[in-house]
Amino acid sequence: MEVYEFKKSYLTRLLETTNVLNGAGANIPASAIRSEWINFVEVAVEPTGWQALWKASRPVCEQLAVKYPLVVLGTVDQVLFDEMKATFTVEAILDDDVQLPEERITVDLEELWPLREQNNPALNVDITADCIDKLRFFYQHLWMPWDIDCEDEHGWLEKHLESRIRLCHDLKNKTMSRQLSSHALALLAEARYIQRKRELIEQELSDEEPEEDEEDNETSILKDNRSSDLLQLNLRLNTIKNEINILENPVMRSVFEKVRFGGEKSEGAEQMSYIVTQAVPLDEQLEYLGSVKTMMDLQTPVKMCDSLQHALDHCCPDSTIYLPPGTRQDIKFLEYLNGGGSFRGVSKAAFVDGYEVASKVNPTIVSKNDDSVLLTIDGDFTLENVRLDCANVRTGVVIKKGNITFRNCCFTGDPNSSTKQGIVIFGNCSITFDRCLIREFSTGIYSNHDCAINLINTTITHCMTGLETLDQCRIMFRSASIQHCSQYGLLLEDFNDDDDDAQDQHGGATDPTGSGTQMYEDFNTIERDEFTFEGNCEFRENAKGNFAIRKGFSDRFNSSCFVNEDDDQQHMLEQTNISSCAEEEDTICNVANFEDDDLGEVQIETSSGRKRLFSKELRCMMYGFGDDQNPYTESVDLLEDLVVEFITEMTHRAMEIGRTGRVQVEDIVFLVRKNSRKYARVKDLLTMNEELKRARKAFDEIKYAGAEAKLK
């Protein structure tokens, strides 16, 4: 089920937005922007009857009290042009465990992704999808939540459009330092989240009718927590506005970075340990330093810091930071943890033995603001004897790669949240949880393919789903426990079509809801290569089942538009089962690259299973060789499997003859040197590629120069 994809350069985005908001040649103010978009949408978008996928935003999921991400298939009954919304009839939900309160709901137009195949072929959905793409890009990347409150002395296009496009370009092409770009992306994601949250709260307050005997306004406002939340959101949004205004100016960025983050960290310096201290009497301080002394190499140089944030601002990736017991360390850390560094709490109270006592004795790390992610790890790292308070972030820890060890750590979320995630793990990682406690998350651990997870004397409790993983992820349970989850203890998304019968033969019961999910209560009845059980493991009191193996519905949701394939997402944490269209490197703009969901809530893959990378190209090739213009999906999939198999085999062979772990063009040429037809084709493609690069570069330079002259 494919949705429309659009690959556009930033220059194209600039010209498209200018054409939509030209205001009949006038430079329109911010207050008229929405009216211009309404006029454009009313002309271009089909008013009713087209099918689409609805990707619900995180605030909407929080309001509906359902798990994030949420992808829904349905039909647009009516487009509400004045509100830029649509009434949407739900036909199918990606997650079988999600139940929406109503079958017919009102959604934002920019959250809809029209399908390529429509029930009514007479509809002009091509233009509809292109219009929504323009609308989505504008409101997710160019329009800021505070723009509507700005004065209209200057036109919006003249004042903001070019600088906002330039900021997107600079973030995409890494012209800023990693630290500054991470900070900018975090601010943008937080601003989008606050805007959506603020809209929902304001709508709730406006929809409520005051009672006749209601107290005076001031008293009622003070008693309503939502009004207090709205005030906090507005104050935070004003702070973000001031920083983004500075970052839009390239000249001011270096000055801002020096003021905000201090001096540069020295690279390749001698390994250093940092001891975080607190204001206590001398005897307690000496006792604390004596405890640190027993935990470290006496030959390692040390520095004293008054807070974890101070240490993070100056440390190198391989540094060890020691934290005093019983302290709360508020951080705003925007770089990645790697290089073999570590955080070590100078205490030994075990969380799995006594949560309340250990929480008071061990140090706690918490985010200063409502960030998307508390910590991001992309290399070898260790955390020991610390509590990670994730109540005010949307994802606790994101692990992108490396060997990571959590030893006697506690991860705590929010028991009232249906969207908060504990640990999100990408592929090619090895993670060990030793004597850890994970509690009160929507999903305790979320893992991609090709990960190795070791749960040793670790407990996951009071989550919606304790551990959710895709198939081919290796998980070892050693005296581990998953209990008191409101849905499943462990949920495995299985995309292997060969295991349907095997599940029925080994004690799996089918879910009575008819979703095709296989349920297991006893882990001894599960015969899966992904799981290993040792010692006294315990899985109990999980409401819908201790173990669930659910088949991926590749025939229902197989759109590449929601699979992130952009290498520049190393700056984005968010994530995301649901991501945006794959875009060409250097020149292509990802339509959802800086969305709050991608930044903070990194979901790894949709439940569609294996990514279909070449479907569009193969359809065209099949048509060119005499097949139907719309060939059978099964035929395209079969041909793609053969293509992927060929590419995989060639890659493995190239890795064997070339540099270890790398594949170069010369390796491919060497492999096909004896096949005259393939060799000639490779040679032609390489030559054509160089010519296209030169032509594209010259063409883009001419167009960009002309556009700049036109804007000036």
Side-chain angles (χ1 to χ4, degrees), residues 86-278:
T87 55
F88 186 75
T89 298
V90 176
E91 298 175 359
I93 303 176
L94 181 65
D95 191 338
D96 295 313
D97 298 314
V98 172
Q99 299 294 328
L100 296 178
E102 298 178 1
E103 183 180 353
R104 197 164 182 260
I105 53 181
T106 301
V107 304
D108 285 345
L109 205 56
E110 65 189 69
E111 294 180 357
L112 294 176
W113 300 76
L115 301 181
R116 286 189 175 275
E117 297 183 3
Q118 298 287 326
N119 294 337
N120 184 359
L123 296 175
N124 196 348
V125 184
D126 292 359
I127 297 177
T128 295
D130 184 62
C131 174
I132 294 177
D133 171 72
K134 296 173 183 176
L135 179 72
R136 182 186 301 117
F137 179 82
F138 179 81
Y139 278 104
Q140 289 183 355
H141 306 314
L142 303 182
W143 180 261
M144 298 298 173
W146 50 82
D147 285 346
I148 192 62
D149 301 324
C150 296
E151 299 179 0
D152 290 339
E153 296 178 0
H154 302 283
W156 186 92
L157 268 70
E158 177 184 353
K159 186 176 181 181
H160 295 296
L161 180 57
E162 190 173 349
S163 62
R164 300 269 172 87
I165 288 283
R166 184 188 296 114
L167 179 62
C168 290
H169 175 273
D170 292 345
L171 290 171
K172 173 81 173 182
N173 292 281
K174 310 173 187 177
T175 59
M176 293 185 284
S177 68
R178 186 175 186 177
Q179 181 174 237
L180 188 60
S181 62
S182 297
H183 181 61
L185 291 171
L187 291 176
L188 291 171
E190 188 178 355
R192 310 293 179 199
Y193 176 80
I194 290 176
Q195 178 191 25
R196 193 75 177 97
K197 191 80 172 177
R198 187 175 63 169
E199 289 174 354
L200 293 174
I201 294 177
E202 289 175 346
Q203 182 178 351
E204 287 180 0
L205 292 175
S206 63
D207 291 344
E208 293 180 358
E209 297 181 1
E211 299 178 3
E212 296 181 0
D213 300 333
E214 188 179 13
E215 305 175 48
D216 62 279
N217 289 336
E218 292 185 3
T219 305
S220 61
I221 289 175
L222 290 174
K223 287 186 176 182
D224 194 336
N225 291 331
R226 290 174 298 180
S227 298
S228 175
D229 294 340
L230 194 60
L231 177 60
Q232 292 180 8
L233 293 175
N234 286 325
L235 290 175
R236 177 58 185 160
L237 196 60
N238 190 60
T239 302
I240 296 174
K241 170 189 173 182
N242 295 332
E243 294 196 26
I244 291 296
N245 288 339
I246 295 174
L247 293 174
E248 287 179 6
N249 186 345
V251 178
M252 297 298 297
R253 290 172 189 167
S254 59
V255 178
F256 175 83
E257 186 170 14
K258 290 180 181 178
V259 174
R260 176 66 176 79
F261 303 108
E264 296 183 359
K265 301 177 184 180
S266 58
E267 297 293 337
E270 183 181 8
Q271 184 177 3
M272 182 80 65
S273 293
Y274 292 80
I275 301 177
V276 178
T277 61
Q278 56 180 329

Side-chain angles (χ1 to χ4, degrees), residues 597-667:
D597 305 335
D598 299 323
L599 181 78
E601 324 316 321
V602 184
Q603 304 303 323
I604 298 139
E605 208 169 274
T606 66
S607 288
S608 59
R610 184 172 299 166
K611 305 172 185 176
R612 291 295 177 185
L613 305 177
F614 310 114
S615 296
K616 183 177 179 181
E617 292 79 3
L618 288 174
R619 288 176 187 273
C620 296
M621 292 178 65
M622 293 170 69
Y623 179 54
F625 280 99
D627 205 325
D628 188 77
Q629 187 171 1
N630 294 305
Y632 288 121
T633 302
E634 293 80 0
S635 301
V636 178
D637 291 346
L638 175 61
L639 191 56
E640 178 163 347
D641 290 339
L642 296 174
V643 171
V644 171
E645 182 180 352
F646 172 76
I647 294 175
T648 303
E649 181 184 354
M650 289 292 290
T651 303
H652 285 305
R653 291 173 59 191
M655 291 176 67
E656 292 175 358
I657 65 173
R659 295 178 57 185
T660 304
R662 295 189 62 181
V663 177
Q664 297 178 319
V665 175
E666 293 79 3
D667 302 330

Side-chain angles (χ1 to χ4, degrees), residues 483-697:
Q483 55 191 11
H484 302 293
C485 293
S486 60
Q487 291 189 3
Y488 304 112
L490 185 149
L491 174 61
L492 171 67
E493 294 280 0
D494 183 14
F495 304 112
N496 186 355
D497 296 333
D498 298 332
D499 290 339
D500 289 332
D501 298 333
Q503 291 182 17
D504 296 329
Q505 296 173 4
H506 297 295
T510 303
D511 190 349
T513 61
S515 63
T517 302
Q518 295 293 322
M519 308 300 299
Y520 299 83
E521 292 303 315
D522 186 358
F523 63 85
N524 292 308
T525 62
I526 302 177
E527 295 188 10
R528 297 281 306 200
D529 295 336
E530 289 90 347
F531 304 137
T532 303
F533 300 94
E534 300 177 3
N536 185 23
C537 296
E538 187 177 20
F539 304 89
R540 60 184 177 86
E541 299 184 37
N542 300 300
K544 291 189 176 182
N546 293 330
F547 296 89
I549 299 178
R550 183 165 60 198
K551 301 299 293 184
F553 296 98
S554 58
D555 57 330
R556 288 169 51 191
F557 299 96
N558 61 352
S559 169
S560 63
C561 185
F562 297 113
V563 179
N564 171 27
E565 300 172 23
D566 192 343
D567 291 337
D568 290 329
Q569 284 288 8
Q570 63 181 323
H571 289 292
M572 311 298 296
L573 301 178
E574 358 246 286
Q575 31 156 161
T576 322
N577 266 352
I578 318 280
S579 186
S580 57
C581 305
E583 304 293 352
E584 293 181 3
E585 192 173 7
D586 297 330
T587 61
I588 300 303
C589 168
N590 192 321
V591 297
N593 204 22
F594 309 128
E595 194 176 0
D596 70 328
D597 305 335
D598 299 323
L599 181 78
E601 324 316 321
V602 184
Q603 304 303 323
I604 298 139
E605 208 169 274
T606 66
S607 288
S608 59
R610 184 172 299 166
K611 305 172 185 176
R612 291 295 177 185
L613 305 177
F614 310 114
S615 296
K616 183 177 179 181
E617 292 79 3
L618 288 174
R619 288 176 187 273
C620 296
M621 292 178 65
M622 293 170 69
Y623 179 54
F625 280 99
D627 205 325
D628 188 77
Q629 187 171 1
N630 294 305
Y632 288 121
T633 302
E634 293 80 0
S635 301
V636 178
D637 291 346
L638 175 61
L639 191 56
E640 178 163 347
D641 290 339
L642 296 174
V643 171
V644 171
E645 182 180 352
F646 172 76
I647 294 175
T648 303
E649 181 184 354
M650 289 292 290
T651 303
H652 285 305
R653 291 173 59 191
M655 291 176 67
E656 292 175 358
I657 65 173
R659 295 178 57 185
T660 304
R662 295 189 62 181
V663 177
Q664 297 178 319
V665 175
E666 293 79 3
D667 302 330
I668 304 297
V669 175
F670 179 80
L671 288 174
V672 300
R673 69 192 187 282
K674 295 182 180 180
N675 188 318
S676 58
R677 294 182 61 185
K678 291 183 179 178
Y679 182 79
R681 180 59 175 162
V682 169
K683 186 177 179 181
D684 289 342
L685 289 174
L686 292 175
T687 303
M688 182 66 70
N689 185 51
E690 292 301 319
E691 293 177 359
L692 288 173
K693 281 185 178 179
R694 289 193 294 268
R696 189 183 295 115
K697 182 178 180 182

